[in-house]
Amino acid sequence: MYNSAPMFMKRELVCVSCNKQRNKHFSASSQYSLEDESSNLDEMPLMMSEEGFENDESDYQTLPRARVNHRQRGLGWFLLGGWKVLCGSCCDCLAHICRRKKELKARTVWLGCPEKCEEKYPKNAIKNQKYNIFTFVPGVLYQQFKFFLNLYFLVVACSQFVPSLKIGYLYTYWAPLGFVLAVTMVREAVDEVRRYQRDKEMNSQLYSKLTVRGKVQVKSSDIQVGDLIIVDKVKVYLDDISVLFSGACFIRTDQLDGETDWKLKVAVGCTQRLPAVGDLFSITAYVYAQKPQLDIHSFEGNFTREDTDPQIHESLSIENTLWASTVVASGTVIGVVIYTGKETRSVLNTSYAKNKVGLLDLELNRLTKALFLAQVVLSIVMVAVQGFVGPWFRNLFRFVVLFSYIIPISLRVNLDMGKSAYGWMIMKDENIPGTVVRTSTIPEELGRLVYLLTDKTGTLTQNEMVFKRLHLGTVSYGTDTMDEIQSHIIQSYAQVTSQPSNGSTSGATPSRKTQASGPKVRKSVSSRIHEAVKAIALCHNVTPVYESHVNGETESAEADQDYSDDNRTYQASSPDEVELVRWTQSVGLTLVNRDLNSLQLKTPSGQILSFHILQIFPFTSESKRMGIIVREESTGDITFYMKGADVAMASIVQYNDWLEEECGNMAREGLRTLVVAKKCLSEEQYQDFENRYNQAKLSIHDRGLKVAAVVESLEREMELLCLTGVEDQLQADVRPTLELLRNAGIKIWMLTGDKLETATCIAKSSHLVSRSQDIHVFRPQVSNRGEAHLELNAFRRKHDCALVISGDSLEVCLRYYEHEFVELACQCPAVVCCRCSPTQKAQIVTLLQQHTANRTCAIGDGGNDVSMIQAADCGIGIEGKEGKQASLAADFSITQFKHIGRLLMVHGRNSYKRSAALGQFVMHRGMIISTMQAVFSSVFYFASVPLYQGFLMVGYATIYTMFPVFSLVLDQDVKPEMALLYPELYKDLTKGRSLSFKTFLIWVLISVYQGGILMYGALVLFESEFVHVVAISFTALILTELLMVALTIRTWHWLMVVAEFFSLGCYLASLAFLNEYFDLSFITTWPFLWKVSAITLVSCLPLYIIKYLKRKFSPPSYSKLSS
């Protein structure tokens, strides 16, 4: 009996720790499955008995591992990436040794005595910072120089300290690199300070601690295992506790598992019976709790009191615990702290925030490697043509440095500034107000997404239930006819009160005895409505709560003190239950009081009906129904009421010809259906049942099966009363948004912690699954490889079918058939995973990334979505009812789900297209000048002498061309309205055609052509002095770059025009100060002007002609829309 208590965590603080062991196992299993690329589901042996699977299971698990271990690892493997694997393994080994974690163990926690703890437990502090004061600089530098681009610039800049390798001025190399590093460090420092401030704010929150001297205030970071803590209402708590003194209370777990339902928690019986709270220190007692675990739905422990004879032992379960990140919804709780800090459930289910790198950055990194290879080859050719004479190795390195501008350092600067600009545009978009960009490094990812993984509660739905339909078989009532039901209820109870009471309570319900005494006749509509409403008002687990205000403080009051409707709120473990009770209140039958043994209803006339609760059979995912047996105190009648899903109730109720059809009709409308039935029991029948039921509950072996069998003996030939339909209201414009995303080629998976039936219903109502599509529901209780295999084979035979699977079944499938399952699931138009834990959500995201290599996006609004959001390539958080935890942990924060359409279709498109154009143009700017340098060196006897020096090189990359090139961040190919109207345009973005080796090769050819024309033209046309070559070629180069920007632009913006003329003006104005490089008397003559004009015309005019012909004969897909 282990486990422990809860921990409450605010949304911004959930990224503290992770379950490395679980993730390690997960990634390992993924690796083994990927090794078996050749195997697929068609080749799996079909075995009709599960024994074959179970006998062979151990061998099956060793096969993939054997394949991995026996793979030959030679020199080719090492050169093609094996060195990375070896380096990574060494680093992981060192990291494991440096931060070896102690083994988690079960613990004994003494009440109010932290000093008695046998071990030292983690501090109850939240830490979201990536670095500390010692690791900040090394950590940031590592993150920067792990990219080839930055490492390359560092090596080149360091080479300039060697006199024999020095090409130009030091500042031409170190100034740009220093600027990039300074900007990065400042940005990281600001983010780190913000994280520190948020952590400090949470760790400094004050909580009430119970001591021998009374109540004291302590910081949350000072709370220790064994402390007695007072948990106030509506306060998020930061550690796991076991409830000692409270009675029954309700908590909200929306921050932990995403469910906004209120859950009942019960105090330990031994401590609850103490006369006063202070007596907790007069007893000697301890809690034995299991070791910290991931599972948030279970807990095993023991409570032992030693100072009595005999000792008192009580078992503890999940009902006796409050996990961190949950909130007490009513009353006040006193509990003992069992887990703190990194050992709490919410932290164990939270993964580390990773540094996300966009796909575009990875593609540009590959291109820069290709450019570096070309640079080295070009340098070798230069030295080879010289004949490898003299210190050829030194000359080779000088050529490498000389051609270093082929990979411009301004590429990183321009892209980073562009990302910031995109983030600013997103936040300033009036069509998506409240949107916040929290990670400015990956806006292009919004334009490359293939999979969208979304939460349900609070993301697709508002989690607000509305009663929509009551069907009695022959008559149906909707929202517009509820007043008829109310009039029937008023009339039904008015008839009773007007009849002589004959000594009985005037509040008795309409007598059933008159109906039972005579022959069976068809009941009137009024009678059937009354029985249906009464059954709905009785068959539930809802508790009414009343609040009274005394001296400004709210405290719990007894229900019989105040029955006013304004002062009453309902608590239950399901919002469906609450809405049904609210509906019965709206039609006249009100639940006014309930405790463990009785409940009371108030009639329209204000009379109270009392019922004694004899038995309750709670809802379970296996039974899909709940029941209650009550005795009406006024008449003594015993009635068994039951409600549940139609699949469970169809075989229980008496024969009818309308239930199945009407359930289908309501399901197509997106309503959550419940079938309500009843059965009248005599005193003898109930006593016989109670005896058998109690005997079954005392059984040691197969207790669950025996209890279920006794209950099922009652569930026969029950009278069908009605069918109810409740709607979980969707968020605004969810249906059109999902349709927009589907048309854009994005596959949508819904991951939820909710029940299977609820998830399926929302998938239909939101049109995530279209009406014409079939749904394959994976059997929830898949427990071994044989069952998983049979289910996968059944699923494989279906086509264009949506998949619904539970978290338990998913885990079994991934354990044995990971590759096959993912391959089948990815072919589905929609996938719904229900009963998913936070860790499972993150695992599914990682699974898609590993098996499909496509970009994933996760969107959610609760603390349980944080791991998923952080694991995805792009995480989007919704700031809603469940708080800001997901919003603060996400890369992008929005206020409504519908905003994701514009965020992806418009801003994602623009960010990707603009960054692709900007990156390639900056590389073109470097390649063209490197081509000119190569031509220059080849003409002048392959000398490693720079063509342009000093300020010319710095000015070329900055004031002369920077503004026009950077203005490409304002370009757009289609208007936002068109991008939303034709989401099919988004499909082209996922193919990555805007930045590929094909487009890169085109820019390389353009650069070689233009660089050759500019250099050879200047050499041919210059007459006397070499300085004229520099003046002619450099001026033509600047004009060519400005014209090429104009050629690249698709939609002009007034700032683009300003940037063009401003840069040209800056160059012309600077000519007066460049007498060190130019002959001022020459650049003011007509020969200079016509030579520059001729060379520029030859370099640019053919490209303009080619662009015109291409748009005329082979226009892009968006050209018709833009016209």
Side-chain angles (χ1 to χ4, degrees):
M1 322 268 190
Y2 335 109
N3 243 45
S4 154
M7 162 169 171
F8 308 160
M9 220 146 223
K10 270 202 168 168
R11 289 204 163 126
E12 63 264 27
L13 306 167
V14 175
C15 43
V16 181
S17 166
C18 70
N19 181 14
K20 292 189 177 178
Q21 187 175 1
R22 179 87 175 257
N23 290 341
K24 185 176 179 182
H25 169 75
F26 181 81
S27 59
S29 63
S30 303
Q31 180 183 355
Y32 301 147
S33 296
L34 284 170
E35 296 300 333
D36 197 12
E37 291 280 350
S38 60
S39 66
N40 56 56
L41 216 55
D42 292 323
E43 299 172 352
M44 291 161 55
L46 291 176
M47 307 174 85
M48 297 309 294
S49 91
E50 296 180 5
E51 296 177 1
F53 288 111
E54 292 165 356
N55 295 337
D56 193 39
E57 193 163 308
S58 59
D59 295 335
Y60 179 85
Q61 288 181 311
T62 60
L63 284 177
R65 194 181 300 272
R67 279 195 291 271
V68 175
N69 292 338
H70 287 88
R71 172 186 286 179
Q72 292 184 353
R73 293 183 172 180
L75 180 62
W77 170 85
F78 181 82
L79 294 177
L80 292 175
W83 62 275
K84 288 185 178 179
V85 177
L86 293 178
C87 292
S89 300
C90 293
C91 293
D92 290 342
C93 182
L94 289 174
H96 177 71
I97 294 173
C98 294
R99 55 184 186 189
R100 187 174 296 165
K101 297 172 65 176
K102 69 173 184 179
E103 183 183 357
L104 299 177
K105 299 179 180 178
R107 60 192 62 188
T108 300
V109 180
W110 293 86
L111 268 59
C113 301
E115 64 278 1
K116 286 189 177 182
C117 292
E118 299 173 355
E119 295 189 25
K120 185 178 180 180
Y121 298 114
K123 188 178 180 181
N124 194 49
I126 293 167
K127 189 173 184 294
N128 286 316
Q129 296 157 253
K130 294 181 182 178
Y131 314 102
N132 57 38
I133 192 171
F134 300 106
T135 61
F136 176 75
V137 174
V140 173
L141 291 179
Y142 169 75
Q143 291 297 330
Q144 288 300 304
F145 292 123
K146 72 178 182 179
F147 290 105
F148 174 80
L149 185 65
N150 292 345
L151 184 61
Y152 166 79
F153 291 132
L154 179 65
V155 173
V156 170
C158 290
S159 71
Q160 295 307 290
F161 288 110
V162 181
S164 60
L165 301 179
K166 188 175 181 181
I167 297 295
Y169 299 106
L170 281 177
Y171 71 85
T172 60
Y173 294 93
W174 280 101
L177 182 62
F179 176 76
V180 172
L181 293 179
V183 170
T184 303
M185 283 193 163
V186 170
R187 185 176 59 191
E188 285 291 334
V190 171
D191 290 344
E192 206 56 8
V193 169
R194 288 176 178 171
R195 294 188 195 101
Y196 170 76
Q197 290 174 342
R198 288 200 299 261
D199 291 349
K200 185 178 180 181
E201 180 183 353
M202 283 300 297
N203 293 329
S204 300
Q205 286 189 4
L206 296 178
Y207 294 88
S208 298
K209 174 182 173 182
L210 201 62
T211 66
V212 179
R213 299 182 302 274
K215 193 191 306 184
V216 296
Q217 297 290 315
V218 295
K219 292 182 180 180
S220 64
S221 58
D222 295 333
I223 295 174
Q224 299 177 338
V225 172
D227 284 341
L228 295 180
I229 300 297
I230 302 174
V231 186
D232 298 319
K233 179 180 177 182
V234 195
K235 188 164 188 177
V236 178
Y237 218 68
L238 298 177
D239 47 30
D240 293 352
I241 70 174
S242 179
V243 181
L244 299 177
F245 204 91
S246 164
C249 72
F250 284 91
I251 67 166
R252 294 205 321 265
T253 61
D254 48 353
Q255 298 278 328
L256 189 63
D257 58 14
E259 297 184 18
T260 55
D261 314 337
W262 291 9
K263 295 176 176 59
L264 179 66
K265 298 295 178 179
V266 182
V268 178
C270 176
T271 55
Q272 183 64 23
R273 290 189 293 269
L274 294 175
V277 174
D279 293 334
L280 288 171
F281 292 96
S282 64
I283 66 173
T284 304
Y286 63 86
V287 171
Y288 179 78
Q290 70 180 128
K291 67 179 182 180
Q293 293 188 355
L294 279 169
D295 190 0
I296 60 177
H297 299 296
S298 67
F299 173 70
E300 295 178 2
N302 278 335
F303 176 87
T304 302
R305 181 176 177 180
E306 289 188 330
D307 58 348
T308 59
D309 190 19
Q311 294 183 356
I312 299 176
H313 299 278
E314 286 192 38
S315 63
L316 303 180
S317 67
I318 187 66
E319 292 183 346
N320 306 115
T321 60
L322 299 182
W323 293 147
S325 298
T326 60
V327 179
V328 176
S330 67
T332 300
V333 173
I334 298 174
V336 60
V337 177
I338 298 180
Y339 304 126
T340 55
K342 294 183 289 187
E343 295 181 345
T344 57
R345 289 293 200 273
S346 63
V347 175
L348 288 175
N349 275 281
T350 303
S351 59
Y352 281 115
K354 65 178 182 179
N355 289 311
K356 297 184 180 181
V357 180
L359 183 60
L360 184 92
D361 291 325
L362 298 176
E363 291 169 343
L364 286 173
N365 202 45
R366 286 196 292 267
L367 294 180
T368 54
K369 292 178 182 178
L371 286 175
F372 175 72
L373 184 61
Q375 176 186 353
V376 173
V377 170
L378 183 59
S379 302
I380 293 174
V381 169
M382 289 291 181
V383 175
V385 174
Q386 285 180 328
F388 294 100
V389 294
W392 65 269
F393 193 83
R394 187 193 66 183
N395 291 337
L396 174 64
F397 203 93
R398 282 179 61 87
F399 273 118
V400 170
V401 177
L402 201 61
F403 296 139
S404 63
Y405 285 97
I406 200 171
I407 309 175
I409 193 171
S410 57
L411 175 63
R412 187 81 267 150
V413 179
N414 279 275
L415 287 176
D416 286 347
M417 293 197 316
K419 294 173 191 288
S420 300
Y422 307 145
W424 183 84
M425 294 175 191
I426 292 173
M427 290 190 286
K428 292 297 181 181
D429 191 343
E430 296 179 353
N431 294 293
I432 48 175
T435 302
V436 179
V437 178
R438 302 192 187 278
T439 304
S440 60
T441 57
I442 55 170
E444 303 92 356
E445 293 295 276
L446 295 171
R448 309 291 297 276
L449 303 176
V450 178
Y451 289 95
L452 175 68
L453 300 101
T454 174
D455 181 38
K456 179 190 73 68
T457 306
T459 303
L460 297 180
T461 71
Q462 301 179 30
N463 206 40
E464 292 181 359
M465 307 299 165
V466 178
F467 192 93
K468 287 287 187 179
R469 189 73 53 81
L470 178 72
H471 205 292
L472 302 176
T474 57
V475 61
S476 177
Y477 295 94
T479 53
D480 54 344
T481 55
M482 292 300 176
D483 54 338
E484 295 184 24
I485 297 179
Q486 186 175 9
S487 62
H488 281 298
I489 295 295
I490 294 174
Q491 178 184 359
S492 179
Y493 281 103
Q495 291 176 355
V496 175
T497 56
S498 62
Q499 294 173 359
S501 60
N502 295 327
S504 64
T505 305
S506 62
T509 58
S511 177
R512 227 179 20 244
K513 296 179 180 178
T514 57
Q515 299 168 2
S517 58
K520 187 173 182 179
V521 295
R522 188 177 184 86
K523 298 179 182 177
S524 66
V525 173
S526 180
S527 174
R528 291 161 60 200
I529 289 176
H530 166 261
E531 291 185 5
V533 173
K534 180 181 175 183
I536 296 172
L538 290 172
C539 188
H540 52 72
N541 61 2
V542 180
T543 302
V545 174
Y546 298 87
E547 302 287 345
S548 63
H549 298 273
V550 181
N551 297 327
E553 296 183 359
T554 302
E555 59 184 22
S556 206
E558 292 298 328
D560 57 4
Q561 292 179 358
D562 183 5
Y563 286 142
S564 64
D565 294 342
D566 296 336
N567 196 40
R568 184 189 309 112
T569 58
Y570 291 116
Q571 298 177 358
S573 60
S574 169
D576 303 64
E577 300 261 79
V578 173
E579 177 55 28
L580 289 173
V581 172
R582 283 177 181 161
W583 175 77
T584 62
Q585 176 183 341
S586 68
V587 297
L589 200 56
T590 306
L591 174 66
V592 293
N593 188 25
R594 177 172 185 158
D595 54 32
L596 295 177
N597 301 313
S598 65
L599 58 80
Q600 293 177 327
L601 303 178
K602 184 172 69 172
T603 66
S605 60
Q607 296 163 335
I608 302 300
L609 309 179
S610 297
F611 297 85
H612 183 67
I613 301 175
L614 301 176
Q615 299 289 347
I616 294 181
F617 313 110
F619 179 92
T620 64
S621 56
E622 291 77 23
S623 66
K624 296 183 176 59
R625 57 188 181 270
M626 70 89 59
I628 185 172
I629 301 178
V630 296
R631 174 188 280 117
E632 188 170 358
E633 293 186 359
S634 61
T635 62
D637 293 339
I638 300 176
T639 310
F640 174 35
Y641 293 103
M642 177 164 284
K643 68 179 179 186
D646 57 303
V647 292
M649 298 292 291
S651 59
I652 294 175
V653 299
Q654 297 171 348
Y655 172 78
N656 62 86
D657 57 0
W658 60 272
L659 181 60
E660 182 179 358
E661 180 183 355
E662 291 303 326
C663 284
N665 293 338
M666 289 191 187
R668 281 186 285 274
E669 296 178 28
L671 301 181
R672 303 161 75 153
T673 57
L674 280 175
V675 179
V676 183
K678 77 167 187 177
K679 186 175 187 179
C680 299
L681 303 177
S682 65
E683 189 69 36
E684 294 76 16
Q685 286 177 314
Y686 174 72
Q687 290 299 330
D688 175 62
F689 164 79
E690 186 179 37
N691 293 333
R692 291 186 290 116
Y693 186 66
N694 291 334
Q695 187 176 0
K697 287 199 296 184
L698 294 175
S699 299
I700 297 177
H701 302 291
D702 299 327
R703 178 185 299 177
L705 293 175
K706 293 179 180 178
V707 169
V710 174
V711 175
E712 286 176 5
S713 66
L714 275 186
E715 300 171 346
R716 294 173 183 169
E717 291 297 309
M718 297 189 69
E719 179 186 350
L720 176 59
L721 297 178
C722 64
L723 175 67
T724 64
V726 176
E727 180 185 42
D728 187 356
Q729 290 190 313
L730 299 174
Q731 296 279 3
D733 295 331
V734 161
R735 290 169 181 156
T737 301
L738 291 177
E739 183 179 1
L740 176 80
L741 297 174
R742 273 200 304 270
N743 292 337
I746 298 175
K747 296 183 178 180
I748 305 168
W749 290 33
M750 185 171 79
L751 313 181
T752 175
D754 220 331
K755 298 184 286 289
L756 187 144
E757 294 79 12
T758 306
T760 306
C761 185
I762 294 302
K764 293 178 180 177
S765 63
S766 64
H767 294 176
L768 176 63
V769 178
S770 64
R771 296 184 178 183
S772 59
Q773 284 176 346
D774 292 331
I775 297 180
H776 178 80
V777 179
F778 220 81
R779 191 152 60 94
Q781 287 81 29
V782 171
S783 58
N784 55 52
R785 186 158 68 96
E787 294 176 353
H789 179 248
L790 296 176
E791 281 293 316
L792 281 173
N793 274 350
F795 177 45
R796 182 184 50 163
R797 289 188 284 269
K798 298 187 178 181
H799 301 283
D800 192 34
C801 176
L803 173 65
V804 178
I805 186 170
S806 66
D808 294 337
S809 299
L810 176 67
E811 192 169 348
V812 175
C813 289
L814 297 182
R815 187 182 307 153
Y816 302 115
Y817 299 117
E818 181 180 289
H819 180 73
E820 291 81 0
F821 173 79
V822 177
E823 185 179 15
L824 286 174
C826 289
Q827 297 172 2
C828 296
V831 176
V832 177
C833 298
C834 57
R835 286 297 179 192
C836 284
S837 67
T839 305
Q840 272 186 319
K841 290 184 177 183
Q843 288 176 344
I844 293 171
V845 173
T846 307
L847 199 69
L848 288 175
Q849 292 170 336
Q850 292 175 343
H851 283 266
T852 66
N854 289 320
R855 309 312 277 177
T856 59
C857 175
I859 179 171
D861 71 320
N864 63 314
D865 302 316
V866 169
S867 297
M868 171 178 71
I869 287 172
Q870 291 177 340
D873 298 302
C874 177
I876 301 177
I878 297 180
E879 187 174 324
K881 293 181 179 179
E882 295 186 25
K884 296 184 178 181
Q885 195 164 339
S887 169
L888 292 170
D891 305 307
F892 303 90
S893 171
I894 58 179
T895 55
Q896 296 184 55
F897 181 81
K898 66 178 181 180
H899 292 167
I900 194 176
R902 185 176 181 87
L903 189 64
L904 302 188
M905 300 301 114
V906 177
H907 293 288
R909 177 184 187 84
N910 289 339
S911 298
Y912 169 60
K913 300 278 276 189
R914 290 165 176 172
S915 285
L918 180 63
Q920 291 179 119
F921 199 94
V922 172
M923 287 191 290
H924 156 75
R925 192 172 61 180
M927 287 186 291
I928 190 174
I929 202 169
S930 297
T931 303
M932 295 174 68
Q933 177 68 55
V935 173
F936 172 78
S937 296
S938 63
V939 170
F940 289 93
Y941 307 102
F942 304 100
S944 55
V945 178
L947 173 61
Y948 306 122
Q949 294 189 21
F951 182 76
L952 288 184
M953 294 303 299
V954 176
Y956 172 70
T958 54
I959 61 173
Y960 295 158
T961 60
M962 182 180 70
F963 297 110
V965 172
F966 187 70
S967 69
L968 291 174
V969 301
L970 301 173
D971 192 20
Q972 62 180 24
D973 53 355
V974 295
K975 294 181 179 179
E977 297 77 16
M978 289 298 172
L980 291 170
L981 188 60
Y982 298 98
E984 291 79 9
L985 293 172
Y986 189 87
K987 293 180 181 179
D988 292 337
L989 304 182
T990 59
K991 300 173 183 176
R993 292 175 177 171
S994 296
L995 178 63
S996 62
F997 275 103
K998 177 183 177 181
T999 59
F1000 172 68
L1001 184 60
I1002 292 173
W1003 277 106
V1004 170
L1005 296 176
I1006 292 174
S1007 302
V1008 172
Y1009 166 75
Q1010 289 185 326
I1013 292 295
L1014 292 174
M1015 197 65 242
Y1016 274 115
L1019 291 173
V1020 169
L1021 295 179
F1022 96 102
E1023 296 173 353
S1024 54
E1025 300 182 21
F1026 171 72
V1027 71
H1028 294 172
V1029 175
V1030 175
I1032 294 172
S1033 61
F1034 192 79
T1035 305
L1037 174 63
I1038 298 298
L1039 294 177
T1040 297
E1041 286 300 291
L1042 297 180
L1043 290 174
M1044 285 300 296
V1045 171
L1047 177 67
T1048 306
I1049 291 173
R1050 288 160 294 201
T1051 304
W1052 282 89
H1053 190 280
W1054 66 271
L1055 284 175
M1056 296 176 173
V1057 180
V1058 171
E1060 290 270 323
F1061 284 102
F1062 176 76
S1063 296
L1064 182 60
C1066 287
Y1067 176 68
L1068 295 177
S1070 67
L1071 290 178
F1073 307 98
L1074 298 177
N1075 53 348
E1076 182 183 350
Y1077 308 102
F1078 297 155
D1079 182 359
L1080 298 182
S1081 60
F1082 173 70
I1083 62 177
T1084 56
T1085 61
W1086 281 109
F1088 171 78
L1089 294 178
W1090 78 258
K1091 290 176 182 179
V1092 169
S1093 301
I1095 295 174
T1096 305
L1097 189 65
V1098 174
S1099 69
C1100 294
L1101 184 61
L1103 298 178
Y1104 273 83
I1105 295 173
I1106 292 173
K1107 179 180 179 180
Y1108 171 77
L1109 294 176
K1110 183 179 179 181
R1111 289 184 67 89
K1112 185 174 180 64
F1113 297 106
S1114 180
S1117 58
Y1118 58 82
S1119 59
K1120 294 182 180 180
L1121 302 179
S1122 59
S1123 63

